[in-house]
């Protein structure tokens, strides 16, 4: 199968998974939830194959333009959510997480994002491309999960549910924050030092990563030291993920940046 | 004094400072940084003056932003120092009779009847906990024993490691800012230059650009030699992402350009309306060559610009160093008489023809131009970088400890129970991962209960 056929198949499975998940929710068929996860995993397999085929064909990491990196981000989000879904088995996380995945895959498939494979420009020829981008995006995928859990927290009607969503949100941040720190800030600084000779340039992309990092630092501190939980934590996690999204899309399209490789 | 210390130890101040830093950072990405005063004036009009006064145009180096970072550093230091003592005691301190009274207040609890006298029962408990990698300390109380068992004790210091790492990074930033040196070195092949502040020289031996078959640059490769006292001591190929390092100086492939001072040009001269008369002339800027044509004896090029634009007062300038709109100022003489001067454009040959001298009816076309390429290397010495990597190491290790190496603690009081036999009261604590800890705690109780 070609990359685009694999990618489209993955997309189809994701859509199916989302439909089944929502079906489970609205028809109150708990057993469908398992099928939703199964479909998502099937999509994940095809998606992985698409990324592998593209990597083999282009000879470089599959995140050098917006199409590739959005696709990878969607992939990482499925990964993050499948890891958490197995652990918590909360009926609402699946449908909404998959909704985000479908939105991302749709965005990647849209004509907004050219799919041509371009050979690597000199600045990107480094194994730090792999480390920096993949670890950062996986970290952000966990922020996406915290975002979903936080929204569900705000929408939940019982204390019991709220408590669970709060805990999912915290656990997602507990994974996402170290990964984001390592991939986005530490690996980013190391690579910048190797490529440009300065580890920090106050470039808008760097600054927005720092802002995102500050927001999640606030999430942790208000929680651990001031015992904020629940609503206020949820709001901070939501703002944090929006900042991560802005770092990811907004900076590329709205601000001028050294990181403009789209 | 105490209250100042207290307020700097507070996390509320930390939260306040982090919010301010985040907001300031946002502002710094909305206002482009480090541009010229004219650009700000054009962009923001009257506000530009205010922005300059508030240092918003060099925000990340402004005194108030640095002040915020300084306050954060003080906050971090005081906060870490004031919490370190109690934490060290909690992780490594000895056990005392007082620990016996705290058992009842612990979250996870258990009570067991154990066989044998308190002494041997306490030993059994110790063995069981040690087998599960707890470090066990004991102290005698009236007629029994109190145990303090701890594991993953480094986990207490996860957040401290993160905070110390941050301080080290801030220190690294100061060192970089004060002692960092960097300079741009545009070099022609064969050219040797002094590296500022370095005390040695470098020479560009060769510069080549590799292209992909489908177009697009694959690599810029500069072969660079380092000369100490005029003697080459090392030669390396510098490419993007692979700098040359010599005595603390890093040399990066930063960009490339052309030497537009004296490019060699090819100009085609012909009679108007007679294409077969066209002849090409090769010359450099500033050069004057003999040319036998109708009404002229010599040709010259006074000036060349790669990216022609008319600036203020219609002065000719080059907008950039890229050959986007190359133009040459051609002159012609008849004997000593200057008969013609006009700009011709490589991209707009017809426009140049219009400039042709009407008397002699000649046309000039800028057919080709060749300039030597320069490789722009960036030389940087950054003595702060080592601290940055050290700080990153602390932060990474600290995050791991803080989130995935949560300390666990079990206290137990082993005393003679009512009637015969021994009673043990357990209390457990885990900073995180309470479910996993509860499981372990129950396992421990179960295996002790089963023990003979
Ligand atoms: C941007 C700056 C900062 C970052 C990234 C940061 C990071 C962290 C992290 C990752 C943790 C561990 C959280 C957890 O275990 O869930 C933590 C805990 C903590 N931080 Fe910070 N911190 C920062 C600034 C500060 C400052 C300025 C203070 C000073 C008051 C502070 C005080 C604390 C305290 C008291 C804890 C809880 C320690 C504990 O109970 O283990 N932090 N911080």
């Amino acid at each position: 199968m070609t990359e685009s056929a694999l990618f489209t198949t993955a997309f189809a499975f994701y859509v199916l998974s989302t439909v089944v998940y929502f079906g489970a929710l609205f028809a109150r068929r708990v057993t469908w939830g398992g099928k939703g996860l199964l479909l998502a995993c099937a999509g994940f397999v095809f998606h992985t194959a698409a990324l592998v085929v593209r990597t083999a064909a282009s000879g470089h990491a599959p995140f050098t333009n917006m199409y590739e990196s959005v696709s990878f981000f969607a992939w990482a989000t499925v990964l993050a959510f499948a890891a958490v879904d197995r652990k918590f088995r909360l009926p609402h996380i699946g449908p909404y997480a998959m909704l985000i995945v479908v939105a991302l895959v749709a965005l990647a498939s849209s004509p907004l994002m050219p799919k041509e494979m371009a050979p690597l420009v000199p600045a990107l020829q480094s194994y730090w491309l792999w480390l920096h981008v993949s670890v950062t995006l996986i970290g952000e995928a966990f922020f996406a999960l915290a975002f979903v859990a936080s929204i569900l927290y705000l929408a939940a009607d019982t204390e019991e549910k709220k408590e669970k969503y709060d805990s999912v949100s915290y656990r997602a941040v507990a994974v996402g924050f170290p990964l984001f720190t390592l991939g986005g800030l530490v690996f980013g600084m190391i690579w910048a030092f190797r490529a440009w000779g300065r580890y920090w340039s106050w470039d808008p992309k760097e600054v927005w990563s720092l802002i995102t990092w500050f927001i999640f630092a606030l999430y942790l501190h208000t929680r651990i030291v001031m015992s904020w939980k629940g609503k206020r934590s949820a709001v901070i996690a939501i703002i944090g993920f929006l900042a991560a999204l802005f770092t990811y899309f907004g900076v590329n399209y709205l601000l001028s940046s050294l990181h403009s490789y789209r | 004094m105490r209250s100042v210390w207290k307020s700097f130890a507070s996390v509320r101040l930390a939260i306040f400072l982090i919010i301010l830093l985040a907001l300031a950072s946002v502002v710094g990405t909305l206002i482009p940084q480090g541009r010229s005063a004219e650009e700000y004036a054009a962009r923001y009009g009257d506000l530009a003056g205010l922005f300059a006064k508030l240092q918003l145009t060099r925000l990340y180096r402004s005194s108030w932003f640095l002040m915020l970072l300084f306050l954060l550093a003080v906050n971090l230091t005081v906060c870490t120092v004031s919490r370190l003592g109690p934490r060290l005691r909690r992780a490594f301190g000895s056990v005392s009779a007082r620990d016996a009274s705290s058992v009842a207040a612990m979250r996870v609890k258990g009570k067991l009847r154990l066989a044998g006298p308190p002494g041997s029962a306490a030993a059994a408990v110790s063995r069981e906990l040690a087998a599960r990698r707890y470090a066990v300390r004991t102290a005698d109380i009236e007629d029994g024993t109190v145990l303090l068992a701890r594991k993953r004790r480094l986990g207490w210091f996860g957040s401290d490691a993160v905070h110390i790492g941050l301080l080290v990074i801030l220190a690294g930033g100061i060192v970089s800012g004060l002692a960092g040196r960097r300079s741009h070195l545009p070099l022609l092949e064969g050219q040797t230059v002094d590296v500022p502040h370095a005390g040695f020289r470098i020479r560009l031996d060769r510069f080549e650009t590799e292209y992909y078959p489908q177009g697009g640059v694959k690599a810029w490769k500069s072969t660079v030699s380092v000369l100490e006292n005029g003697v080459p001591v090392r030669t390396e190929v510098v490419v993007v992402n692979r700098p040359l390092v010599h005595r603390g100086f890093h040399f990066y492939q930063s960009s490339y350009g052309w030497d537009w001072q004296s490019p060699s040009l090819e100009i085609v001269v012909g009679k108007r309306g007679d294409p077969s008369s066209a002849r090409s002339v090769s010359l450099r800027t500033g050069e004057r060559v003999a040319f036998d044509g109708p009404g002229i004896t010599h040709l010259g090029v006074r000036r060349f610009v790669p990216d022609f634009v008319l600036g203020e007062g219609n002065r000719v300038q080059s907008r950039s160093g890229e050959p986007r709109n190359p133009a040459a100022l051609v002159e012609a003489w008849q004997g000593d008489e200057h008969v013609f001067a006009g700009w011709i454009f490589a991209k707009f040959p017809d426009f140049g023809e219009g400039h042709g001298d009407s008397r002699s009816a000649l046309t000039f076309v800028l057919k080709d131009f060749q300039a030597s390429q320069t490789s722009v290397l960036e030389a940087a010495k950054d003595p702060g970088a080592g601290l940055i990597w050290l700080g990153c190491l602390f932060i990474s290790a600290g995050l791991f400890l803080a989130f995935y190496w949560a300390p666990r603690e079990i206290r137990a009081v082993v005393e003679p129970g009512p009637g015969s036999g021994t009673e043990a009261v357990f209390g457990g604590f885990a900073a995180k991962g309470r479910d996993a800890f509860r499981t372990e705690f129950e396992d421990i109780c179960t295996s002790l209960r089963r023990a003979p």
Side-chain angles (χ1 to χ4, degrees):
Chain A
M1 277 171 98
T2 62
E3 183 227 339
S4 96
L6 289 166
F7 186 69
T8 310
T9 312
F11 192 4
F13 272 114
Y14 290 156
V15 171
L16 220 58
S17 155
T18 313
V19 170
V20 169
Y21 262 131
F22 274 106
L25 209 58
F26 293 122
R28 298 187 187 285
R29 299 278 170 84
V30 180
T31 53
W32 290 13
K35 296 198 175 68
L37 182 61
L38 212 62
L39 286 165
C41 290
F44 185 76
V45 170
F46 281 96
H47 199 166
T48 310
L51 291 171
V52 170
V53 168
R54 189 171 179 99
T55 304
S58 69
H60 57 68
F63 21 75
T64 57
N65 61 20
M66 277 315 261
Y67 161 69
E68 292 177 339
S69 83
V70 171
S71 168
F72 184 84
F73 184 36
W75 181 87
T77 308
V78 181
L79 184 73
F81 131 76
V84 171
D85 197 53
R86 279 182 51 77
K87 199 169 161 100
F88 290 91
R89 305 203 171 279
L90 288 167
H92 286 74
I93 300 270
Y96 291 99
M98 284 313 291
L99 203 58
I100 290 193
V101 170
V102 166
L104 287 170
V105 175
L107 182 65
S109 318
S110 78
L112 279 177
M113 306 208 157
K115 321 258 175 308
E116 292 90 53
M117 283 185 228
L120 274 190
V121 299
L124 296 182
Q125 294 165 12
S126 168
Y127 54 85
W128 287 106
L129 173 65
W130 279 101
L131 287 169
H132 173 52
V133 183
S134 65
V135 178
T136 309
L137 286 179
I138 294 173
E140 287 179 350
F142 280 92
F143 290 162
L145 217 58
F147 171 79
V148 170
S150 297
I151 296 224
L152 289 171
Y153 175 94
L154 295 180
D157 44 13
T158 67
E159 270 314 309
E160 187 197 1
K161 279 189 203 160
K162 276 182 184 290
E163 189 143 322
K164 278 193 173 160
Y165 289 132
D166 185 66
S167 144
V168 173
S169 161
Y170 173 72
R171 299 234 188 159
V173 173
V175 181
F177 188 75
L179 287 177
F180 183 76
T181 308
L182 195 69
L185 298 169
V186 175
F187 291 169
M189 285 201 286
I190 297 175
W191 190 12
F193 189 71
R194 290 203 40 100
W196 302 325
R198 50 179 92 211
Y199 49 82
W200 193 261
S201 316
W202 294 106
D203 169 79
K205 193 115 183 162
E206 293 171 358
V207 177
W208 272 95
S209 307
L210 187 67
I211 293 165
T212 306
W213 195 62
F214 279 153
I215 295 173
F216 283 103
L218 286 176
Y219 177 94
L220 294 172
H221 285 86
T222 49
R223 202 176 167 91
I224 197 172
V225 192
M226 290 158 76
S227 309
W228 282 20
K229 265 188 111 173
K231 191 168 164 194
R232 287 185 286 193
S233 284
V235 171
I236 301 178
I238 289 169
I239 298 174
F241 178 65
L242 294 179
L245 274 190
F246 187 78
T247 309
Y248 187 29
F249 294 107
V251 174
N252 283 18
Y253 291 105
L254 301 176
L255 305 172
S256 75
S257 160
L258 286 174
H259 279 80
S260 301
Y261 295 118
R262 69 192 149 96
Chain B
M1 204 52 221
R2 271 189 78 89
S3 69
V4 173
W5 177 265
K6 265 219 172 105
S7 54
F8 271 111
S10 97
V11 181
R12 272 168 212 279
L13 177 64
I15 287 167
F16 180 66
L17 288 173
I18 293 174
I19 292 175
L20 284 185
L21 282 166
L23 291 177
S25 302
V26 173
V27 172
T29 62
L30 299 180
I31 300 174
Q33 298 289 300
R35 307 282 170 87
S36 68
E38 293 86 57
E39 202 177 322
Y40 289 116
R43 212 177 165 131
Y44 300 112
D46 294 342
L47 280 176
L50 182 67
F51 285 5
K53 204 170 281 165
L54 295 175
Q55 300 172 299
L56 297 183
T57 56
R58 38 185 291 280
L59 189 149
Y60 304 113
R61 283 164 190 77
S62 68
S63 43
W64 60 269
F65 191 79
L66 296 179
M67 192 58 178
L68 284 179
L69 286 177
F70 174 74
L71 290 176
L72 184 75
V74 175
N75 193 184
L76 274 167
T77 311
V78 175
C79 187
T80 305
V81 167
S82 66
R83 282 162 200 261
L84 207 54
R87 240 200 268 274
L88 280 168
R89 237 167 289 133
R90 182 94 194 239
F92 300 109
S94 57
V95 58
S96 73
R98 250 180 307 142
D99 289 296
S101 55
S102 62
V103 172
M106 294 178 90
R107 270 248 201 120
V108 183
K109 282 195 279 278
K111 192 187 238 179
L112 293 180
R113 290 191 66 84
L114 299 173
S120 67
V125 173
S126 262
R127 272 197 305 278
E128 175 65 26
L129 289 168
R132 291 175 190 266
R133 305 183 153 275
Y134 279 84
V136 188
R137 298 244 183 135
T138 56
D140 291 335
I141 48 175
E142 264 177 66
D143 42 5
T145 306
V146 54
L147 288 98
L148 175 57
R150 291 169 288 200
K151 77 173 183 190
R152 299 187 180 169
R153 286 181 285 182
L154 273 184
W156 286 111
F157 306 99
S159 59
D160 297 310
V162 173
H163 297 143
I164 292 170
L166 272 167
L167 284 169
V168 173
I169 285 182
L170 287 172
I174 294 173
V175 174
S176 294
L178 294 180
R181 296 277 177 266
R182 87 184 33 247
S183 41
H184 269 286
L185 307 173
L187 286 164
L188 285 164
E189 277 185 350
Q191 192 181 351
T192 305
V193 291
D194 268 318
V195 180
H197 315 287
F200 60 87
R201 292 158 73 83
I202 59 164
R203 183 180 69 210
L204 180 67
D205 298 327
R206 205 171 136 69
F207 178 54
E208 49 185 335
T209 306
E210 282 178 12
Y211 295 92
Y212 287 107
Q214 57 274 59
V217 173
K218 182 174 181 198
W220 291 288
K221 293 187 168 175
S222 295
T223 309
V224 177
S225 293
V226 176
L227 289 87
E228 297 262 18
N229 305 316
V231 185
V233 292
R234 66 198 297 176
T235 300
E236 272 175 37
V237 178
V238 175
V239 297
V240 179
N241 278 310
R242 212 170 67 213
L244 179 158
V245 186
H246 185 70
R247 288 213 270 140
F249 273 83
H250 288 60
F251 295 90
Y252 299 90
Q253 182 68 54
S254 160
S255 61
Y256 62 94
W258 290 269
D259 177 22
W260 297 117
Q261 289 307 312
S262 66
S264 47
L265 309 173
E266 185 184 348
I267 291 169
V268 176
V269 191
K271 291 203 198 91
R272 195 186 300 278
D274 180 7
S276 65
S277 69
R279 272 198 288 148
S280 105
V281 185
S282 294
L283 74 176
R284 289 182 169 273
T285 9
E287 204 177 355
R288 178 176 153 165
V289 297
F291 182 85
D292 187 17
I296 66 167
T297 57
H298 291 87
L299 265 183
V301 171
R302 197 192 302 166
R303 209 179 145 196
F304 176 89
V305 290
D307 190 3
F308 182 96
V309 64
L310 285 178
E312 247 169 78
N314 274 357
R315 267 210 308 274
V316 171
Q317 299 172 340
S318 193
R319 189 181 0 217
S320 70
E322 305 272 327
R324 294 209 184 100
N325 183 16
L329 179 56
V330 195
E331 300 178 288
W333 289 269
Q334 181 164 38
D336 285 337
E337 190 194 349
H338 189 241
V339 294
F340 165 77
W343 284 97
I344 57 172
F345 301 88
K347 296 250 165 88
F348 308 98
D350 296 343
F351 188 66
E353 252 174 85
H355 272 267
D357 177 39
S358 53
R359 277 177 301 167
S360 61
L362 284 177
T363 61
F364 301 93
V365 175
L366 177 53
K367 178 92 185 301
D368 197 15
F369 53 94
Q370 296 288 337
S372 334
Q373 269 215 318
T374 58
S375 169
V376 183
L377 297 181
E378 177 141 322
K381 179 179 175 130
D382 194 338
L387 286 172
I388 302 294
W389 312 139
L390 185 67
C392 284
L393 209 64
F394 268 90
I395 290 184
S396 307
L399 286 174
F400 172 76
L401 291 178
F403 289 110
Y404 299 103
W405 203 249
R408 293 179 178 182
E409 203 175 272
I410 292 177
R411 297 179 205 185
V413 180
V414 183
E415 282 175 322
S420 70
T422 303
E423 190 178 71
V425 183
F426 291 88
F429 166 85
K432 288 210 173 91
R434 305 227 161 88
D435 295 338
F437 174 64
R438 216 176 281 264
T439 311
E440 185 190 47
F441 187 84
E442 271 151 25
D443 280 354
I444 291 171
C445 291
T446 312
S447 38
L448 282 174
R449 207 176 280 131
R450 241 190 269 123

